[in-house]
């Protein structure tokens, strides 16, 4: 509104010839009376600056994505095996136009596949959190437990997630719980280790407050231990969910059933490469969303 | 009659990565009930360490410490501490930080409303009513220190242990809080041990000034009785010859007999 008004005023000024009048005194006296154009006011300047910054921030990532698509198109054009961006886009539009169809266990919409994978990740990761976080607290709190368990953890942690699958299949007999087991065992470590590190790094000052006040164990836990360690726990959770989502695709490729990993394998057998590329993007984007959601949660609980 | 706080030949040796480090040695000090002691000495001489010994946060490696004829074993809320680095819990608001202490000390005998009133009164005393709902990360260093003081005062401790409580404050706030502290101590007859770097503060507030030698193996160098009548008024004292005499005795100790550690080296 005010921007428009200012322009009309400037126009009328110019038309009335004040600005081009040789008597500079008059125009100087008239200047304060002139209303400042919107884009020269404080809020206007901030708006302009904000918009400019937004574009400045958007340009590099957009450029990166464009470059990536161009490179992809180049690779796709040079050979015959990989579909190009436009072809893939068309396939994706078709695929996502009906994400929840169900033609029996081996032919379901992409939505069902994603949800099934998320469900397995949720179960395996949830179980890992329920076991891993309290375990981390105890390892951090009791030096004896720490010394007792750290050699075992050091040996088990670097084991490739899929190496656990045969054990799962052997013990649990079925594919579904076996893949959940793989998620569990591979995503538990970051939560155990980060929680334990958090407990060990609680500043002595906080514990001194607890000691001077003679707080009960319950109060020490709720008012000091838990809030002090929460940021570490959330870091562990974030790393764990990344691992879980990384592992589910591989696990499902081996075990089958409905899920994004199995879907990739199925499409490979159908030689539908466009769908495989779509699956790669879907896995990446869902992983990113999970991570971002947990980042938000972590920010909510950081107190600094 | 025995003194209220008795420190007999106390020593403190820390085990560090580079071996043993003797911080304090042969500290003997008796503090009467209701007495105000100022601990003064150069940085790093062991003032905080001595305060922590009385608080029970660390155990002396030599000698004994008694409170009302009982050996000090671990900390307790009857010996409130104002920590040098304020030590507020960063996830609790100023109000909650103070309330945690109030609840612990008076929770058994008072109603919730009474506990809240105590907390508010303590914050009001240090002039922080307006910042009650702020987190420590949102207030200045001086304000944090004042919350720490409020927390300790609200506990109505038998012994108040303060580690440079007014260090981060501007001169006006500092003077105001010193006056408040004098009033509270006069009213409650609390025993106070206070670490300070400020010579004027030591003379204004205390009954005795305990001057420590430089570390390592620091001990008590000299004890100065401050026999100025109470209540004390800072403006009147500014023109008091005896006040200036006491003040220069402390300065004399600190700057000619105990040189700064760096200059001595
Ligand atoms: N936990 C500890 N382990 C090892 N050495 C320590 C420990 N605490 C204190 N010291 C050492 O003991 C000495 C006295 O420390 P202290 O903190 O009591 O000094 P201070 O007089 O309070 O100094 P300032 O005025 O700077 O606060 C220092 O040399 C310090 O390095
Ligand atoms: Mg100190």
């Amino acid at each position: 509104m005010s921007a428009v008004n200012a322009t009309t005023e400037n126009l009328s000024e110019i038309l009335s010839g004040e600005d081009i009048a040789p008597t500079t005194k008059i125009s100087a006296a008239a200047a304060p009376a002139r209303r400042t154009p919107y884009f020269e006011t404080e809020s206007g300047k901030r708006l302009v600056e904000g918009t400019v910054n937004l574009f400045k921030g958007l340009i590099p990532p957009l450029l990166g994505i464009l470059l990536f698509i161009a490179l992809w198109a180049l690779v796709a054009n040079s050979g015959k095996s990989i579909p190009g961006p436009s072809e893939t886009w068309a396939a994706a539009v078709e695929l996502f136009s009906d994400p929840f169809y169900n033609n029996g266990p081996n032919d379901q919409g992409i939505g069902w596949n994603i949800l099934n994978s998320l469900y397995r990740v949720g179960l395996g990761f949830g179980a890992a959190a329920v076991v891993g976080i309290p375990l981390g607290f105890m390892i951090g709190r009791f030096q004896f437990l720490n010394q007792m368990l750290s050699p075992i953890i050091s040996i088990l942690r670097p084991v490739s997630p899929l190496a656990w699958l045969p054990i799962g299949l052997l013990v649990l007999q079925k594919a579904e719980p076996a893949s959940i087991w793989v998620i569990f065992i591979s995503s538990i470590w970051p939560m155990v280790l980060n929680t334990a590190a958090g407990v060990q790094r609680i500043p002595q000052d906080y514990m001194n407050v607890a000691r001077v006040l003679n707080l009960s164990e319950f109060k020490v836990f709720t008012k000091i231990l838990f809030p002090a360690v929460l940021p570490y726990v959330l870091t562990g959770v974030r790393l764990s969910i990344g691992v879980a989502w990384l592992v589910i695709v591989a696990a499902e490729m081996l075990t089958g059933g409905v899920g994004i990993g199995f879907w990739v394998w199925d499409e490979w057998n159908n030689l539908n490469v466009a769908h495989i590329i779509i699956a790669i993007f879907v896995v990446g984007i869902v992983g990113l969303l999970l991570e971002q959601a947990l980042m938000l949660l972590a920010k909510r609980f950081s107190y600094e | 009659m025995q003194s209220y706080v008795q420190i007999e030949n106390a020593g403190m040796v820390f085990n560090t990565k580079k071996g043993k480090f003797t911080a304090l040695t042969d500290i003997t000090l008796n503090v009467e009930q209701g007495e105000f002691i100022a601990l003064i000495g150069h940085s790093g001489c062991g003032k905080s360490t001595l305060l922590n010994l009385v608080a029970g946060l660390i155990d002396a490696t030599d000698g004994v410490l008694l409170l009302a004829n009982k050996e000090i074993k671990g900390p307790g809320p009857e010996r409130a501490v104002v920590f040098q680095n304020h030590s507020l819990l960063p996830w609790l608001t100023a109000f909650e930080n103070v309330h945690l202490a109030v609840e612990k000390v008076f929770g058994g005998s008072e109603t919730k409303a009474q506990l809240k009133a105590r907390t508010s009164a303590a914050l009001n005393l240090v002039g922080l009513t307006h910042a009650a709902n702020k987190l420590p990360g949102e207030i200045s260093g001086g304000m944090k220190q004042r919350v720490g003081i409020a927390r300790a005062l609200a506990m109505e401790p038998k012994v108040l242990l303060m580690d440079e409580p007014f260090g981060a404050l501007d001169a006006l706030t500092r003077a105001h809080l010193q006056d408040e502290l004098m009033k509270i101590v006069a009213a409650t007859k609390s025993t106070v041990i206070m670490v300070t770097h400020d010579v004027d503060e030591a003379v204004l507030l205390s009954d005795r000034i305990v001057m420590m030698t430089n570390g390592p193996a620091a001990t008590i160098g000299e004890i100065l009785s401050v026999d100025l009548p109470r209540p004390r008024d800072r403006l009147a004292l500014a023109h008091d010859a005896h006040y200036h005499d006491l003040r220069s005795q402390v300065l004399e100790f600190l700057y000619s007999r105990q040189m700064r550690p760096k200059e001595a080296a």
Side-chain angles (χ1 to χ4, degrees):
Chain A
M1 265 302 275
S2 50
V4 176
N5 285 344
T7 337
T8 46
E9 259 181 35
N10 286 351
L11 268 179
S12 59
E13 261 176 39
I14 292 168
L15 286 178
S16 67
E18 266 187 27
D19 271 10
I20 35 173
T23 43
T24 41
K25 258 184 192 170
I26 297 172
S27 67
R34 203 186 93 190
R35 214 176 325 149
T36 7
Y38 177 68
F39 288 115
E40 284 171 29
T41 63
E42 269 308 305
S43 69
K45 272 184 201 161
R46 242 181 291 131
L47 185 73
V48 172
E49 212 172 281
T51 323
V52 168
N53 279 346
L54 190 69
F55 276 111
K56 270 188 192 159
L58 276 181
I59 286 169
L62 277 178
L63 205 67
I65 291 171
L66 280 178
L67 208 70
F68 174 78
I69 291 175
L71 214 68
W72 173 13
L74 210 72
V75 172
N77 269 344
S78 61
K80 284 280 164 280
S81 47
I82 296 176
S86 57
E87 212 178 312
T88 311
W89 179 253
V93 169
E94 196 196 318
L95 200 61
F96 279 96
S97 61
D98 185 14
F100 290 109
Y101 72 84
N102 188 345
N103 299 338
N106 280 333
D107 187 14
Q108 299 194 7
I110 181 89
W112 285 126
N113 282 297
I114 296 173
L115 286 181
N116 268 288
S117 294
L118 279 175
Y119 171 74
R120 285 187 199 108
V121 163
L123 275 187
F125 163 81
V130 166
V131 177
I133 294 171
L135 186 65
F137 262 102
M138 290 201 291
I139 289 178
R141 197 94 168 97
F142 305 111
Q143 186 60 27
F144 182 82
L145 211 62
N146 185 6
Q147 287 170 341
M148 195 173 94
L149 294 181
S150 69
I152 304 176
I153 293 179
S154 314
I155 291 171
L156 296 188
R157 193 171 58 101
V159 172
S160 165
L162 290 185
W164 294 104
L165 191 60
I167 306 273
L169 286 169
L170 192 73
V171 174
L172 301 164
Q173 301 287 335
K174 279 192 200 121
E176 182 76 14
S179 56
I180 292 171
W181 150 254
V182 171
I183 300 292
F184 169 85
I185 196 69
S186 51
S187 67
I188 195 171
W189 309 118
M191 288 189 279
V192 173
L193 296 175
N194 274 283
T195 307
V199 173
Q200 282 162 351
R201 275 183 220 160
I202 292 178
Q204 188 58 41
D205 294 345
Y206 301 162
M207 298 319 279
N208 278 348
V209 172
R211 291 175 62 204
V212 166
L213 293 181
N214 214 343
L215 294 179
S216 63
E217 273 298 317
F218 177 75
K219 281 263 164 169
V220 170
F221 185 80
T222 56
K223 296 284 177 184
I224 296 178
L225 278 183
F226 187 71
V229 177
L230 195 57
Y232 290 87
V233 173
L234 286 173
T235 305
V237 165
R238 201 154 53 80
L239 293 173
S240 286
I241 209 147
V243 171
W245 188 243
L246 208 68
V247 168
I248 188 67
V249 177
E252 283 173 351
M253 277 188 177
L254 292 176
T255 59
V258 181
I260 191 81
F262 175 67
W263 189 73
V264 170
W265 197 245
D266 208 34
E267 297 300 322
W268 166 240
N269 286 332
N270 298 339
L271 279 179
N272 192 339
V273 185
H275 280 186
I276 294 177
I277 294 176
I278 294 168
I280 289 173
F281 278 109
V282 166
V283 169
I285 290 168
V286 171
L288 187 72
L289 289 179
L290 285 176
E291 170 118 1
Q292 288 298 315
L294 280 162
M295 287 274 258
L296 274 180
L297 195 71
K299 246 191 211 143
R300 163 74 186 72
F301 283 107
S302 73
Y303 42 83
E304 293 303 346
Chain B
M1 208 190 94
Q2 299 287 332
S3 298
Y4 192 53
V5 180
Q6 289 168 268
I7 307 171
E8 309 278 356
N9 305 314
M12 188 69 216
V13 180
F14 287 111
N15 281 317
T16 66
K17 280 182 191 139
K18 289 185 198 155
K20 289 191 185 303
F21 176 83
T22 308
L24 296 174
T25 178
D26 206 21
I27 302 268
T28 296
L29 178 68
N30 290 317
V31 182
E32 304 304 326
Q33 194 150 21
E35 200 177 14
F36 197 124
I37 299 284
L39 275 181
I40 204 162
H42 288 295
S43 180
C45 72
K47 305 180 293 294
S48 297
T49 306
L50 181 53
L51 209 68
N52 284 342
L53 284 176
V54 180
L57 288 169
I58 51 176
D59 292 326
T61 46
D62 273 309
V64 281
L65 286 98
L66 304 172
L67 175 77
N69 289 322
K70 274 197 224 104
E71 188 171 353
I72 293 177
K73 281 188 191 135
E78 79 286 350
R79 275 164 289 140
V81 183
V82 178
F83 294 95
Q84 187 165 11
N85 53 5
H86 61 74
S87 293
L88 301 179
L89 301 176
W91 42 85
L92 299 184
T93 63
F95 186 91
E96 290 165 338
N97 263 291
V98 177
H99 193 264
L100 187 67
V102 170
E103 198 182 26
K104 177 66 201 180
V105 178
F106 302 102
S109 56
E110 295 189 2
T111 65
K112 283 194 174 146
Q114 280 173 309
L115 297 177
K116 288 209 162 133
R118 272 183 188 277
T119 308
S120 302
L123 283 171
N124 186 38
L125 190 74
V126 295
L128 283 181
T129 304
H130 62 96
N133 293 319
K134 292 215 162 115
L135 292 171
E138 301 165 347
I139 59 181
S140 72
M143 289 161 87
K144 283 193 262 251
Q145 228 175 4
R146 281 190 274 161
V147 178
I149 296 166
R151 175 171 64 186
L153 291 178
M155 293 161 72
E156 297 190 352
K158 290 189 185 127
V159 183
L160 185 56
L161 303 169
M162 304 202 279
D163 200 343
E164 293 185 38
F166 307 135
L169 302 179
D170 63 284
L172 274 177
T173 315
R174 175 193 290 241
H176 169 71
L177 285 177
Q178 286 168 344
D179 291 341
E180 288 300 326
L181 181 64
M182 280 196 283
K183 275 189 229 159
I184 292 169
V185 169
T188 58
K189 307 227 170 358
S190 323
T191 308
V192 185
I193 303 180
M194 171 170 155
V195 173
T196 177
H197 272 141
D198 183 338
V199 177
D200 288 293
E201 181 171 274
V203 179
L204 175 71
L205 297 179
S206 60
D207 298 311
R208 278 191 295 159
I209 302 176
V210 173
M211 294 176 266
M212 295 183 61
T213 63
N214 289 338
T219 188
I220 295 174
E222 206 174 299
I223 298 181
L224 181 72
S225 283
V226 182
D227 46 2
L228 297 167
R230 290 180 189 269
R232 295 175 187 167
D233 173 52
R234 67 178 66 244
L235 288 177
L237 286 177
H239 308 289
D240 187 313
H242 189 42
Y243 173 85
H244 285 285
D245 180 41
L246 292 165
R247 199 176 167 278
S248 48
Q249 282 185 53
V250 180
L251 288 172
E252 153 84 7
F253 176 88
L254 285 177
Y255 297 107
S256 82
R257 265 173 290 162
Q258 292 293 321
M259 279 183 298
R260 286 181 174 282
K262 269 181 202 154
E263 293 163 20

